[in-house]
Amino acid sequence: MLLGIYAIGLLFGGREFLVARAGTQVDPGSEEWSRMAAVIAEINPADADTDFLLAMEALQEGDQPRYIEYMESALGKGVKHNNLLLSEYAHHLMRIQAPFQSIDIALNRWRENHQLSFEIVSLPLGQGPASQQDYNAIRRELDAIDWIYEWELREPSGDMLQWVLLLQFEPAEEAAIRDVIEATSILLLPSEARSRLRVRCTSWEDCQSQVR
């Protein structure tokens, strides 16, 4: 049974990013960010952190190709120390619903280089549980994923207009975003069928039910 498009409705708003070297919070797209990026680019244009600053500026300007170019340049320099860079790129790939393999590479690069980080994977969902039965179904699926250490579902409230799934890595296990998409897609199945069927996805748009 074809389940159709996985509606994830990702939002990108006015986030503030912690710049490790500056030690302060600066909003990408602000004049302060632009000045900081320009100064660092002039002092050390070949540095991976410079690419990151320029990438975030490009993203705020809506220039996604330039964002990707700068981020790939930074990653190509073997950057490992910048937890925010690795985290942001993984989250960006999820926001644009990039191929699973690309997201997995980014997630595992982040996981391997910052195993003790307290930061989490944040995945907004197009649909959340409407009942305790729905919640229990998602819980069974997520608890069965080896690479997830802890998880939490947060319902819409205040400025958060949709359900958000928060995940923490199990450091010794390799992450695969497909597992999470399939687990949360269990809600697309009728409640009476969830014990005998599971969801398998080949992409964000192509998910099908299978007998367990």
Side-chain angles (χ1 to χ4, degrees):
M1 178 174 64
L2 183 64
L3 298 178
I5 295 177
Y6 181 82
I8 198 165
L10 295 173
L11 300 178
F12 181 73
R15 290 179 57 190
E16 289 189 338
F17 294 89
L18 178 66
V19 182
R21 289 194 172 184
T24 57
Q25 286 188 334
V26 183
D27 185 15
S30 67
E31 291 186 10
E32 184 179 359
W33 184 282
S34 296
R35 287 196 301 270
M36 180 172 61
V39 169
I40 294 177
E42 183 175 350
I43 295 173
N44 198 354
D47 191 82
D49 288 339
T50 301
D51 289 331
F52 174 57
L53 292 175
L54 295 173
M56 296 309 303
E57 187 175 35
L59 186 62
Q60 283 294 310
E61 293 172 354
D63 191 341
Q64 184 164 290
R66 192 158 59 96
Y67 167 85
I68 295 291
E69 179 184 349
Y70 281 127
M71 290 296 273
E72 291 289 351
S73 175
L75 294 169
K77 295 171 183 176
V79 61
K80 296 180 179 180
H81 68 283
N82 194 326
N83 181 45
L84 181 59
L85 185 157
L86 300 177
S87 167
E88 159 57 27
Y89 193 53
H91 279 95
H92 178 75
L93 292 179
M94 288 188 287
R95 285 195 295 269
I96 65 173
Q97 298 184 16
F100 290 156
Q101 184 179 12
S102 298
I103 296 173
D104 291 347
I105 291 172
L107 283 175
N108 286 295
R109 182 192 291 119
W110 177 27
R111 175 188 62 83
E112 290 165 3
N113 288 295
H114 294 273
Q115 294 188 16
L116 300 181
S117 171
F118 289 103
E119 290 202 40
I120 56 178
V121 179
S122 176
L123 184 64
L125 304 176
Q127 178 180 350
S131 65
Q132 186 63 43
Q133 187 178 36
D134 284 351
Y135 179 84
N136 290 340
I138 288 182
R139 176 176 54 80
R140 284 192 297 269
E141 300 299 317
L142 290 174
D143 285 349
I145 299 176
D146 292 340
W147 61 269
I148 296 179
Y149 175 65
E150 288 185 340
W151 62 270
E152 178 185 349
L153 268 176
R154 291 189 180 174
E155 59 184 311
S157 63
D159 294 334
M160 189 169 65
L161 303 179
Q162 59 195 127
W163 285 87
V164 175
L165 176 62
L166 305 177
L167 307 169
Q168 281 188 299
F169 295 118
E170 182 69 55
E173 301 292 338
E174 185 171 333
I177 195 64
R178 181 200 312 268
D179 296 338
V180 179
I181 304 307
E182 292 175 346
T184 55
S185 294
I186 194 70
L187 296 185
L188 299 177
L189 298 176
S191 57
E192 65 274 11
R194 293 169 185 167
S195 61
R196 61 183 179 83
L197 297 178
R198 61 185 179 183
V199 177
R200 285 294 178 261
C201 300
T202 58
S203 69
W204 293 86
E205 295 82 17
D206 185 10
C207 293
Q208 300 185 29
S209 63
Q210 294 181 358
V211 177
R212 293 183 183 272

mmCIF file of all heavy atoms in Angstrom, residues 130-171:
data_model
loop_
_atom_site.group_PDB
_atom_site.id
_atom_site.type_symbol
_atom_site.label_atom_id
_atom_site.label_comp_id
_atom_site.label_asym_id
_atom_site.label_seq_id
_atom_site.Cartn_x
_atom_site.Cartn_y
_atom_site.Cartn_z
ATOM 1 N N ALA A 130 -2.368 12.021 17.833
ATOM 2 C CA ALA A 130 -3.652 12.636 18.175
ATOM 3 C C ALA A 130 -4.290 11.964 19.381
ATOM 4 O O ALA A 130 -5.331 12.414 19.864
ATOM 5 C CB ALA A 130 -4.601 12.568 16.979
ATOM 6 N N SER A 131 -3.671 10.887 19.863
ATOM 7 C CA SER A 131 -4.223 10.142 20.987
ATOM 8 C C SER A 131 -3.096 9.397 21.692
ATOM 9 O O SER A 131 -1.975 9.308 21.186
ATOM 10 C CB SER A 131 -5.274 9.136 20.495
ATOM 11 O OG SER A 131 -4.652 8.153 19.674
ATOM 12 N N GLN A 132 -3.407 8.850 22.857
ATOM 13 C CA GLN A 132 -2.423 8.039 23.571
ATOM 14 C C GLN A 132 -2.058 6.810 22.758
ATOM 15 O O GLN A 132 -0.908 6.349 22.772
ATOM 16 C CB GLN A 132 -2.982 7.617 24.933
ATOM 17 C CG GLN A 132 -1.979 6.878 25.810
ATOM 18 C CD GLN A 132 -0.779 7.730 26.176
ATOM 19 O OE1 GLN A 132 -0.927 8.902 26.518
ATOM 20 N NE2 GLN A 132 0.418 7.156 26.098
ATOM 21 N N GLN A 133 -3.013 6.287 22.016
ATOM 22 C CA GLN A 133 -2.754 5.131 21.161
ATOM 23 C C GLN A 133 -1.727 5.476 20.085
ATOM 24 O O GLN A 133 -0.818 4.686 19.798
ATOM 25 C CB GLN A 133 -4.059 4.659 20.522
ATOM 26 C CG GLN A 133 -3.937 3.356 19.742
ATOM 27 C CD GLN A 133 -5.269 2.915 19.169
ATOM 28 O OE1 GLN A 133 -6.090 3.739 18.756
ATOM 29 N NE2 GLN A 133 -5.504 1.605 19.141
ATOM 30 N N ASP A 134 -1.852 6.660 19.498
ATOM 31 C CA ASP A 134 -0.872 7.114 18.509
ATOM 32 C C ASP A 134 0.510 7.257 19.142
ATOM 33 O O ASP A 134 1.525 6.853 18.565
ATOM 34 C CB ASP A 134 -1.292 8.465 17.918
ATOM 35 C CG ASP A 134 -2.423 8.342 16.914
ATOM 36 O OD1 ASP A 134 -2.779 7.210 16.546
ATOM 37 O OD2 ASP A 134 -2.952 9.396 16.505
ATOM 38 N N TYR A 135 0.546 7.869 20.327
ATOM 39 C CA TYR A 135 1.826 8.071 21.009
ATOM 40 C C TYR A 135 2.490 6.730 21.309
ATOM 41 O O TYR A 135 3.701 6.565 21.117
ATOM 42 C CB TYR A 135 1.623 8.854 22.301
ATOM 43 C CG TYR A 135 2.903 9.072 23.071
ATOM 44 C CD1 TYR A 135 3.751 10.135 22.767
ATOM 45 C CD2 TYR A 135 3.280 8.194 24.088
ATOM 46 C CE1 TYR A 135 4.931 10.326 23.459
ATOM 47 C CE2 TYR A 135 4.458 8.375 24.780
ATOM 48 C CZ TYR A 135 5.282 9.441 24.465
ATOM 49 O OH TYR A 135 6.463 9.616 25.144
ATOM 50 N N ASN A 136 1.710 5.777 21.773
ATOM 51 C CA ASN A 136 2.264 4.459 22.084
ATOM 52 C C ASN A 136 2.823 3.782 20.837
ATOM 53 O O ASN A 136 3.841 3.081 20.899
ATOM 54 C CB ASN A 136 1.194 3.576 22.718
ATOM 55 C CG ASN A 136 0.816 4.034 24.116
ATOM 56 O OD1 ASN A 136 1.567 4.764 24.765
ATOM 57 N ND2 ASN A 136 -0.349 3.617 24.585
ATOM 58 N N ALA A 137 2.172 4.004 19.695
ATOM 59 C CA ALA A 137 2.649 3.410 18.444
ATOM 60 C C ALA A 137 4.005 3.993 18.052
ATOM 61 O O ALA A 137 4.931 3.261 17.670
ATOM 62 C CB ALA A 137 1.625 3.644 17.334
ATOM 63 N N ILE A 138 4.135 5.316 18.151
ATOM 64 C CA ILE A 138 5.420 5.952 17.845
ATOM 65 C C ILE A 138 6.483 5.509 18.843
ATOM 66 O O ILE A 138 7.632 5.237 18.473
ATOM 67 C CB ILE A 138 5.278 7.489 17.864
ATOM 68 C CG1 ILE A 138 4.484 7.962 16.650
ATOM 69 C CG2 ILE A 138 6.648 8.160 17.873
ATOM 70 C CD1 ILE A 138 4.332 9.465 16.561
ATOM 71 N N ARG A 139 6.112 5.430 20.107
ATOM 72 C CA ARG A 139 7.074 5.029 21.142
ATOM 73 C C ARG A 139 7.634 3.643 20.856
ATOM 74 O O ARG A 139 8.851 3.420 20.974
ATOM 75 C CB ARG A 139 6.404 5.051 22.520
ATOM 76 C CG ARG A 139 7.317 4.560 23.649
ATOM 77 C CD ARG A 139 6.633 4.684 25.001
ATOM 78 N NE ARG A 139 5.340 4.017 25.021
ATOM 79 C CZ ARG A 139 5.169 2.705 25.170
ATOM 80 N NH1 ARG A 139 6.224 1.911 25.277
ATOM 81 N NH2 ARG A 139 3.965 2.187 25.195
ATOM 82 N N ARG A 140 6.788 2.706 20.471
ATOM 83 C CA ARG A 140 7.271 1.351 20.170
ATOM 84 C C ARG A 140 8.274 1.368 19.022
ATOM 85 O O ARG A 140 9.292 0.667 19.060
ATOM 86 C CB ARG A 140 6.083 0.441 19.828
ATOM 87 C CG ARG A 140 5.261 0.005 21.021
ATOM 88 C CD ARG A 140 4.303 -1.109 20.647
ATOM 89 N NE ARG A 140 3.327 -0.681 19.641
ATOM 90 C CZ ARG A 140 2.134 -0.159 19.946
ATOM 91 N NH1 ARG A 140 1.782 0.009 21.207
ATOM 92 N NH2 ARG A 140 1.296 0.196 18.986
ATOM 93 N N GLU A 141 7.985 2.172 18.002
ATOM 94 C CA GLU A 141 8.874 2.216 16.836
ATOM 95 C C GLU A 141 10.208 2.891 17.175
ATOM 96 O O GLU A 141 11.278 2.403 16.806
ATOM 97 C CB GLU A 141 8.186 2.966 15.687
ATOM 98 C CG GLU A 141 6.879 2.348 15.209
ATOM 99 C CD GLU A 141 7.040 0.942 14.668
ATOM 100 O OE1 GLU A 141 8.010 0.699 13.917
ATOM 101 O OE2 GLU A 141 6.203 0.083 15.002
ATOM 102 N N LEU A 142 10.159 4.016 17.872
ATOM 103 C CA LEU A 142 11.389 4.745 18.198
ATOM 104 C C LEU A 142 12.255 3.981 19.197
ATOM 105 O O LEU A 142 13.488 3.986 19.099
ATOM 106 C CB LEU A 142 11.055 6.131 18.745
ATOM 107 C CG LEU A 142 10.471 7.130 17.739
ATOM 108 C CD1 LEU A 142 10.048 8.412 18.449
ATOM 109 C CD2 LEU A 142 11.470 7.446 16.628
ATOM 110 N N ASP A 143 11.626 3.323 20.157
ATOM 111 C CA ASP A 143 12.387 2.561 21.157
ATOM 112 C C ASP A 143 13.144 1.394 20.528
ATOM 113 O O ASP A 143 14.116 0.894 21.109
ATOM 114 C CB ASP A 143 11.454 2.030 22.248
ATOM 115 C CG ASP A 143 11.012 3.115 23.222
ATOM 116 O OD1 ASP A 143 11.591 4.220 23.175
ATOM 117 O OD2 ASP A 143 10.088 2.860 24.022
ATOM 118 N N ALA A 144 12.719 0.973 19.352
ATOM 119 C CA ALA A 144 13.363 -0.165 18.689
ATOM 120 C C ALA A 144 14.570 0.249 17.843
ATOM 121 O O ALA A 144 15.263 -0.614 17.298
ATOM 122 C CB ALA A 144 12.345 -0.896 17.813
ATOM 123 N N ILE A 145 14.839 1.551 17.733
ATOM 124 C CA ILE A 145 15.963 2.038 16.915
ATOM 125 C C ILE A 145 17.228 2.067 17.765
ATOM 126 O O ILE A 145 17.314 2.815 18.745
ATOM 127 C CB ILE A 145 15.653 3.438 16.347
ATOM 128 C CG1 ILE A 145 14.404 3.376 15.451
ATOM 129 C CG2 ILE A 145 16.847 3.966 15.563
ATOM 130 C CD1 ILE A 145 13.959 4.732 14.919
ATOM 131 N N ASP A 146 18.223 1.282 17.376
ATOM 132 C CA ASP A 146 19.425 1.103 18.194
ATOM 133 C C ASP A 146 20.219 2.386 18.405
ATOM 134 O O ASP A 146 20.814 2.586 19.463
ATOM 135 C CB ASP A 146 20.344 0.051 17.560
ATOM 136 C CG ASP A 146 19.744 -1.345 17.606
ATOM 137 O OD1 ASP A 146 18.839 -1.563 18.428
ATOM 138 O OD2 ASP A 146 20.176 -2.210 16.822
ATOM 139 N N TRP A 147 20.273 3.258 17.384
ATOM 140 C CA TRP A 147 21.174 4.408 17.478
ATOM 141 C C TRP A 147 20.593 5.591 18.238
ATOM 142 O O TRP A 147 21.269 6.584 18.477
ATOM 143 C CB TRP A 147 21.630 4.861 16.092
ATOM 144 C CG TRP A 147 20.559 5.320 15.149
ATOM 145 C CD1 TRP A 147 19.880 4.556 14.249
ATOM 146 C CD2 TRP A 147 20.064 6.658 14.997
ATOM 147 N NE1 TRP A 147 18.991 5.334 13.544
ATOM 148 C CE2 TRP A 147 19.088 6.614 13.975
ATOM 149 C CE3 TRP A 147 20.356 7.875 15.605
ATOM 150 C CZ2 TRP A 147 18.396 7.762 13.566
ATOM 151 C CZ3 TRP A 147 19.668 9.016 15.203
ATOM 152 C CH2 TRP A 147 18.703 8.948 14.190
ATOM 153 N N ILE A 148 19.330 5.497 18.637
ATOM 154 C CA ILE A 148 18.720 6.573 19.418
ATOM 155 C C ILE A 148 18.912 6.288 20.905
ATOM 156 O O ILE A 148 18.474 5.263 21.418
ATOM 157 C CB ILE A 148 17.223 6.720 19.099
ATOM 158 C CG1 ILE A 148 17.031 7.148 17.643
ATOM 159 C CG2 ILE A 148 16.576 7.731 20.036
ATOM 160 C CD1 ILE A 148 15.581 7.290 17.229
ATOM 161 N N TYR A 149 19.589 7.217 21.581
ATOM 162 C CA TYR A 149 19.834 7.074 23.020
ATOM 163 C C TYR A 149 18.609 7.513 23.817
ATOM 164 O O TYR A 149 18.133 6.811 24.703
ATOM 165 C CB TYR A 149 21.059 7.901 23.414
ATOM 166 C CG TYR A 149 21.332 7.920 24.894
ATOM 167 C CD1 TYR A 149 21.686 6.750 25.569
ATOM 168 C CD2 TYR A 149 21.239 9.107 25.626
ATOM 169 C CE1 TYR A 149 21.934 6.760 26.932
ATOM 170 C CE2 TYR A 149 21.487 9.125 26.983
ATOM 171 C CZ TYR A 149 21.836 7.955 27.631
ATOM 172 O OH TYR A 149 22.082 7.974 28.980
ATOM 173 N N GLU A 150 18.107 8.701 23.498
ATOM 174 C CA GLU A 150 16.899 9.212 24.129
ATOM 175 C C GLU A 150 16.103 10.002 23.097
ATOM 176 O O GLU A 150 16.670 10.508 22.123
ATOM 177 C CB GLU A 150 17.230 10.137 25.315
ATOM 178 C CG GLU A 150 17.755 9.414 26.539
ATOM 179 C CD GLU A 150 17.959 10.365 27.712
ATOM 180 O OE1 GLU A 150 18.054 11.586 27.468
ATOM 181 O OE2 GLU A 150 18.028 9.889 28.852
ATOM 182 N N TRP A 151 14.814 10.108 23.305
ATOM 183 C CA TRP A 151 13.987 10.903 22.402
ATOM 184 C C TRP A 151 12.848 11.542 23.183
ATOM 185 O O TRP A 151 12.487 11.093 24.259
ATOM 186 C CB TRP A 151 13.434 10.054 21.255
ATOM 187 C CG TRP A 151 12.526 8.931 21.687
ATOM 188 C CD1 TRP A 151 12.893 7.654 21.999
ATOM 189 C CD2 TRP A 151 11.104 8.997 21.875
ATOM 190 N NE1 TRP A 151 11.792 6.917 22.367
ATOM 191 C CE2 TRP A 151 10.686 7.716 22.297
ATOM 192 C CE3 TRP A 151 10.156 9.998 21.730
ATOM 193 C CZ2 TRP A 151 9.345 7.423 22.571
ATOM 194 C CZ3 TRP A 151 8.822 9.720 21.999
ATOM 195 C CH2 TRP A 151 8.435 8.434 22.409
ATOM 196 N N GLU A 152 12.305 12.596 22.604
ATOM 197 C CA GLU A 152 11.186 13.301 23.225
ATOM 198 C C GLU A 152 10.334 13.934 22.137
ATOM 199 O O GLU A 152 10.856 14.508 21.177
ATOM 200 C CB GLU A 152 11.698 14.389 24.169
ATOM 201 C CG GLU A 152 10.593 15.202 24.827
ATOM 202 C CD GLU A 152 11.132 16.358 25.659
ATOM 203 O OE1 GLU A 152 12.361 16.389 25.887
ATOM 204 O OE2 GLU A 152 10.328 17.220 26.053
ATOM 205 N N LEU A 153 9.029 13.826 22.277
ATOM 206 C CA LEU A 153 8.088 14.486 21.375
ATOM 207 C C LEU A 153 7.550 15.734 22.060
ATOM 208 O O LEU A 153 7.057 15.657 23.189
ATOM 209 C CB LEU A 153 6.926 13.555 21.032
ATOM 210 C CG LEU A 153 7.037 12.688 19.784
ATOM 211 C CD1 LEU A 153 5.828 11.764 19.696
ATOM 212 C CD2 LEU A 153 7.143 13.530 18.529
ATOM 213 N N ARG A 154 7.654 16.864 21.382
ATOM 214 C CA ARG A 154 7.111 18.103 21.932
ATOM 215 C C ARG A 154 5.959 18.580 21.061
ATOM 216 O O ARG A 154 6.098 18.730 19.850
ATOM 217 C CB ARG A 154 8.197 19.172 22.014
ATOM 218 C CG ARG A 154 9.244 18.856 23.071
ATOM 219 C CD ARG A 154 10.189 20.010 23.290
ATOM 220 N NE ARG A 154 11.178 19.690 24.311
ATOM 221 C CZ ARG A 154 12.197 20.475 24.635
ATOM 222 N NH1 ARG A 154 12.356 21.634 24.001
ATOM 223 N NH2 ARG A 154 13.053 20.116 25.568
ATOM 224 N N GLU A 155 4.840 18.825 21.703
ATOM 225 C CA GLU A 155 3.659 19.247 20.963
ATOM 226 C C GLU A 155 3.703 20.741 20.666
ATOM 227 O O GLU A 155 4.450 21.489 21.304
ATOM 228 C CB GLU A 155 2.401 18.903 21.752
ATOM 229 C CG GLU A 155 2.317 19.538 23.122
ATOM 230 C CD GLU A 155 1.084 19.075 23.860
ATOM 231 O OE1 GLU A 155 -0.012 19.124 23.261
ATOM 232 O OE2 GLU A 155 1.208 18.657 25.023
ATOM 233 N N PRO A 156 2.920 21.192 19.685
ATOM 234 C CA PRO A 156 2.908 22.617 19.340
ATOM 235 C C PRO A 156 2.524 23.476 20.539
ATOM 236 O O PRO A 156 1.619 23.137 21.300
ATOM 237 C CB PRO A 156 1.844 22.697 18.242
ATOM 238 C CG PRO A 156 1.788 21.320 17.662
ATOM 239 C CD PRO A 156 2.047 20.392 18.811
ATOM 240 N N SER A 157 3.241 24.587 20.695
ATOM 241 C CA SER A 157 2.932 25.516 21.776
ATOM 242 C C SER A 157 3.658 26.827 21.515
ATOM 243 O O SER A 157 4.803 26.832 21.063
ATOM 244 C CB SER A 157 3.364 24.956 23.139
ATOM 245 O OG SER A 157 4.759 24.774 23.185
ATOM 246 N N GLY A 158 2.999 27.938 21.799
ATOM 247 C CA GLY A 158 3.627 29.240 21.631
ATOM 248 C C GLY A 158 4.082 29.469 20.203
ATOM 249 O O GLY A 158 3.304 29.391 19.258
ATOM 250 N N ASP A 159 5.394 29.736 20.053
ATOM 251 C CA ASP A 159 5.951 29.997 18.724
ATOM 252 C C ASP A 159 6.212 28.722 17.935
ATOM 253 O O ASP A 159 6.502 28.780 16.744
ATOM 254 C CB ASP A 159 7.259 30.786 18.849
ATOM 255 C CG ASP A 159 7.033 32.183 19.399
ATOM 256 O OD1 ASP A 159 5.913 32.699 19.225
ATOM 257 O OD2 ASP A 159 7.969 32.739 20.005
ATOM 258 N N MET A 160 6.152 27.576 18.594
ATOM 259 C CA MET A 160 6.392 26.302 17.918
ATOM 260 C C MET A 160 5.061 25.791 17.370
ATOM 261 O O MET A 160 4.195 25.336 18.125
ATOM 262 C CB MET A 160 7.009 25.293 18.892
ATOM 263 C CG MET A 160 7.499 24.024 18.225
ATOM 264 S SD MET A 160 8.499 23.009 19.347
ATOM 265 C CE MET A 160 7.268 22.548 20.579
ATOM 266 N N LEU A 161 4.890 25.881 16.063
ATOM 267 C CA LEU A 161 3.588 25.646 15.445
ATOM 268 C C LEU A 161 3.345 24.201 15.063
ATOM 269 O O LEU A 161 2.274 23.880 14.551
ATOM 270 C CB LEU A 161 3.451 26.536 14.198
ATOM 271 C CG LEU A 161 3.609 28.042 14.437
ATOM 272 C CD1 LEU A 161 3.473 28.799 13.122
ATOM 273 C CD2 LEU A 161 2.601 28.532 15.461
ATOM 274 N N GLN A 162 4.326 23.329 15.272
ATOM 275 C CA GLN A 162 4.155 21.939 14.873
ATOM 276 C C GLN A 162 4.850 21.018 15.866
ATOM 277 O O GLN A 162 5.623 21.461 16.716
ATOM 278 C CB GLN A 162 4.733 21.722 13.468
ATOM 279 C CG GLN A 162 6.212 22.052 13.363
ATOM 280 C CD GLN A 162 6.663 22.192 11.929
ATOM 281 O OE1 GLN A 162 7.247 23.193 11.556
ATOM 282 N NE2 GLN A 162 6.398 21.197 11.120
ATOM 283 N N TRP A 163 4.539 19.746 15.768
ATOM 284 C CA TRP A 163 5.206 18.756 16.598
ATOM 285 C C TRP A 163 6.691 18.700 16.232
ATOM 286 O O TRP A 163 7.057 18.834 15.066
ATOM 287 C CB TRP A 163 4.585 17.382 16.379
ATOM 288 C CG TRP A 163 3.252 17.201 17.028
ATOM 289 C CD1 TRP A 163 2.034 17.510 16.499
ATOM 290 C CD2 TRP A 163 3.003 16.666 18.331
ATOM 291 N NE1 TRP A 163 1.035 17.202 17.390
ATOM 292 C CE2 TRP A 163 1.600 16.678 18.520
ATOM 293 C CE3 TRP A 163 3.819 16.175 19.351
ATOM 294 C CZ2 TRP A 163 1.009 16.220 19.698
ATOM 295 C CZ3 TRP A 163 3.232 15.719 20.521
ATOM 296 C CH2 TRP A 163 1.846 15.745 20.689
ATOM 297 N N VAL A 164 7.522 18.492 17.245
ATOM 298 C CA VAL A 164 8.957 18.371 17.021
ATOM 299 C C VAL A 164 9.462 17.134 17.752
ATOM 300 O O VAL A 164 9.134 16.908 18.922
ATOM 301 C CB VAL A 164 9.719 19.618 17.521
ATOM 302 C CG1 VAL A 164 11.229 19.413 17.380
ATOM 303 C CG2 VAL A 164 9.281 20.848 16.740
ATOM 304 N N LEU A 165 10.255 16.340 17.049
ATOM 305 C CA LEU A 165 10.887 15.166 17.638
ATOM 306 C C LEU A 165 12.336 15.506 17.948
ATOM 307 O O LEU A 165 13.087 15.922 17.069
ATOM 308 C CB LEU A 165 10.821 13.984 16.670
ATOM 309 C CG LEU A 165 11.530 12.699 17.110
ATOM 310 C CD1 LEU A 165 10.906 12.142 18.385
ATOM 311 C CD2 LEU A 165 11.486 11.662 15.992
ATOM 312 N N LEU A 166 12.731 15.340 19.211
ATOM 313 C CA LEU A 166 14.099 15.599 19.651
ATOM 314 C C LEU A 166 14.798 14.267 19.898
ATOM 315 O O LEU A 166 14.255 13.392 20.578
ATOM 316 C CB LEU A 166 14.097 16.437 20.931
ATOM 317 C CG LEU A 166 13.318 17.753 20.862
ATOM 318 C CD1 LEU A 166 13.325 18.447 22.216
ATOM 319 C CD2 LEU A 166 13.886 18.665 19.789
ATOM 320 N N LEU A 167 16.001 14.126 19.354
ATOM 321 C CA LEU A 167 16.739 12.867 19.445
ATOM 322 C C LEU A 167 18.141 13.099 19.977
ATOM 323 O O LEU A 167 18.766 14.117 19.684
ATOM 324 C CB LEU A 167 16.858 12.215 18.062
ATOM 325 C CG LEU A 167 15.592 11.991 17.249
ATOM 326 C CD1 LEU A 167 15.961 11.592 15.824
ATOM 327 C CD2 LEU A 167 14.735 10.916 17.888
ATOM 328 N N GLN A 168 18.640 12.132 20.734
ATOM 329 C CA GLN A 168 20.049 12.106 21.108
ATOM 330 C C GLN A 168 20.674 10.821 20.585
ATOM 331 O O GLN A 168 20.052 9.757 20.594
ATOM 332 C CB GLN A 168 20.216 12.178 22.628
ATOM 333 C CG GLN A 168 20.064 13.589 23.184
ATOM 334 C CD GLN A 168 20.431 13.651 24.648
ATOM 335 O OE1 GLN A 168 19.822 12.990 25.473
ATOM 336 N NE2 GLN A 168 21.422 14.458 24.971
ATOM 337 N N PHE A 169 21.930 10.939 20.130
ATOM 338 C CA PHE A 169 22.632 9.799 19.558
ATOM 339 C C PHE A 169 23.030 8.776 20.613
ATOM 340 O O PHE A 169 23.336 9.126 21.752
ATOM 341 C CB PHE A 169 23.931 10.248 18.876
ATOM 342 C CG PHE A 169 23.739 11.127 17.683
ATOM 343 C CD1 PHE A 169 24.233 12.416 17.678
ATOM 344 C CD2 PHE A 169 23.085 10.666 16.560
ATOM 345 C CE1 PHE A 169 24.088 13.235 16.576
ATOM 346 C CE2 PHE A 169 22.928 11.475 15.451
ATOM 347 C CZ PHE A 169 23.431 12.760 15.459
ATOM 348 N N GLU A 170 23.084 7.523 20.202
ATOM 349 C CA GLU A 170 23.816 6.489 20.923
ATOM 350 C C GLU A 170 25.207 6.499 20.294
ATOM 351 O O GLU A 170 25.367 6.121 19.131
ATOM 352 C CB GLU A 170 23.158 5.122 20.739
ATOM 353 C CG GLU A 170 23.817 3.989 21.494
ATOM 354 C CD GLU A 170 23.640 4.114 22.990
ATOM 355 O OE1 GLU A 170 22.495 4.222 23.455
ATOM 356 O OE2 GLU A 170 24.676 4.115 23.688
ATOM 357 N N PRO A 171 26.252 6.963 21.017
ATOM 358 C CA PRO A 171 27.554 7.228 20.387
ATOM 359 C C PRO A 171 28.143 6.072 19.588
ATOM 360 O O PRO A 171 28.802 6.296 18.582
ATOM 361 C CB PRO A 171 28.446 7.577 21.587
ATOM 362 C CG PRO A 171 27.499 8.115 22.606
ATOM 363 C CD PRO A 171 26.244 7.309 22.440
#
